[in-house]
Amino acid sequence: MWERLGGDPMPLLDTAAGQCKLAAIYNEYADAASRWRLPIVLFAPTWRANRDHARPRDNARAIEFVRRFSSCVGALMGPRGDCYSPQAALSR
């Protein structure tokens, strides 16, 4: 998703135009699965949705949005900071 949009998809949930853009992509995936009679798990645009990058309920909103396209939904959680910088690692 990130690659197709050229950036973080989470902010697209904030506008009707952004939701249309996301819906077009999710519909494409769901339609392909349906056409070929394959199961599909769609993942919400939550990769950077942590306390530093998202507002409360952003993750829940993302999951609710994606459930419109599949009953099997997942959500990935990425790094909080710079995953390539040991100084930015979370404490135990």
Side-chain angles (χ1 to χ4, degrees):
M1 176 85 55
W2 189 288
E3 302 82 20
R4 292 186 70 179
L5 295 168
D8 187 357
M10 186 64 112
L12 295 175
L13 291 172
D14 293 336
T15 66
Q19 287 184 20
C20 284
K21 191 179 263 192
L22 285 172
I25 293 171
Y26 283 116
N27 272 322
E28 183 181 323
Y29 295 147
D31 289 347
S34 177
R35 183 173 52 249
W36 295 100
R37 297 184 183 133
L38 296 170
I40 188 168
V41 176
L42 293 176
F43 283 80
T46 57
W47 185 74
R48 292 296 302 255
N50 58 53
R51 291 182 187 150
D52 295 339
H53 295 99
R55 300 172 310 245
R57 287 222 13 94
D58 273 353
N59 287 337
R61 268 186 340 125
I63 295 293
E64 290 164 12
F65 179 81
V66 176
R67 280 199 174 130
R68 294 172 20 192
F69 309 97
S70 177
S71 60
C72 296
V73 175
L76 297 174
M77 290 295 155
R80 181 170 182 190
D82 181 352
C83 63
Y84 297 103
S85 174
Q87 297 81 9
L90 297 174
S91 66
R92 287 181 193 230

